[in-house]
Amino acid sequence: MRYDPMTPSTLDLFGNTEPEQPPKREQIGEQSYVLRGFALPSLDRLLPALEDVLVAAPFRQMVTPGGFTMSVALSSCGTLGWTTDRSGYRYTRADPQTGQPWPDMPDVFLELAHAAAEAAEFNDFMPDSCLINRYVPGAKMSLHQDKNEGSYAAPIVSVSLGLPAMFLFGGFARSDKSQRVPLFHGDIVVWGGVDRLRFHGVLPIKEGLHPQLGEQRINFTFRVAG
Ligand code: SIN
Ligand code: FE2
């Protein structure tokens, strides 16, 4: 898939085509980028595919090993789904709520994740897991590292939809100062390589109503888990 800006090429008064704009890519680490609006051209396919996944594996709130109920509600698709309960964080092949395999990862999810990774210079990204996070206003994600995967060779590709969020992009120790990166509907963050184990999190989502998604923020986190 090619990056397709919202307004591709505009004709000037003389009918000349302006040079195509390069993707808007903001570097936030040595191998970390924010791709502004990258998911927007895929939304027409992405949202119906999301609905199908959620029929089979509805959002649910999970409990951390420490016994806290997460404010974010979760679902997953792909071969492996990230889960947590009193016995720990892990990936499972079956949805613990239904006992059924997690829903297949829709092609449009895979294509988008692959293209975003490529735009951040990570080629051949083939995620086997997509965690789907739902934040309502007030929900947050504390600083953490993504460390339950079998290998850290592949990047993380994280898609934001709906209400805006303030993403915290930290260092390699929890106490390192974090950058604050505002994320909007359609933005994608990719981090990997030397940045793969950076701490990251999301500040509490502010009240608001998104024209397409209503009172929520949806995040897809694509990973190679197995
Ligand atoms: C996560 O780290 O699992 C989620 C990040 C986000 O919601 O942007
Ligand atoms: Fe994470």
Side-chain angles (χ1 to χ4, degrees):
M1 198 183 86
R2 255 180 73 250
Y3 180 78
D4 185 12
M6 292 253 280
T7 45
S9 53
T10 43
L11 293 177
D12 68 19
L13 283 176
F14 307 98
N16 296 321
T17 306
E18 284 176 5
E20 203 171 306
Q21 299 296 307
K24 273 194 203 149
R25 186 172 96 157
E26 295 168 21
Q27 191 162 12
I28 56 170
E30 201 177 324
Q31 291 185 275
S32 309
Y33 298 92
V34 180
L35 309 171
R36 295 289 178 198
F38 197 96
L40 294 176
S42 306
L43 277 186
D44 288 355
R45 293 173 61 215
L46 211 56
L47 294 179
L50 170 63
E51 276 181 38
D52 291 346
V53 166
L54 292 174
V55 169
F59 282 123
R60 79 294 302 265
Q61 281 175 282
M62 291 185 185
V63 177
T64 65
F68 294 101
T69 300
M70 293 179 70
S71 58
V72 175
L74 313 178
S75 181
S76 276
C77 61
T79 318
L80 293 167
W82 186 87
T83 58
T84 173
D85 59 19
R86 289 304 298 247
S87 60
Y89 302 125
R90 63 195 173 281
Y91 284 93
T92 60
R93 290 185 175 270
D95 176 347
Q97 195 161 280
T98 62
Q100 295 300 307
W102 292 104
D104 288 340
M105 197 178 310
D107 287 347
V108 58
F109 280 41
L110 206 56
E111 286 163 21
L112 178 64
H114 185 272
E118 205 159 73
E121 282 151 47
F122 294 100
N123 294 327
D124 308 318
F125 181 57
M126 286 295 288
D128 56 11
S129 177
C130 175
L131 172 65
I132 307 167
N133 293 308
R134 175 179 190 255
Y135 299 73
V136 292
K140 65 179 173 69
M141 180 87 66
S142 308
L143 275 181
H144 65 278
Q145 294 168 294
D146 288 6
K147 274 178 90 168
N148 302 124
E149 297 70 37
S151 144
Y152 305 138
I156 306 288
V157 172
S158 178
V159 179
S160 290
L161 300 174
L163 289 178
M166 190 61 83
F167 183 65
L168 302 175
F169 195 58
F172 300 98
R174 190 183 299 277
S175 56
D176 289 350
K177 198 171 158 45
S178 297
Q179 298 176 56
R180 288 183 171 214
V181 183
L183 294 180
F184 303 96
H185 183 58
D187 292 349
I188 301 187
V189 188
V190 182
W191 66 98
V194 296
D195 292 325
R196 174 63 180 73
L197 287 176
R198 277 185 183 256
F199 276 86
H200 56 280
V202 176
L203 290 182
I205 300 296
K206 294 201 172 133
E207 293 286 342
L209 203 57
H210 186 269
Q212 274 161 287
L213 284 162
E215 205 178 23
Q216 61 179 343
R217 169 178 185 261
I218 305 275
N219 165 264
F220 299 151
T221 300
F222 292 95
R223 307 183 182 113
V224 175

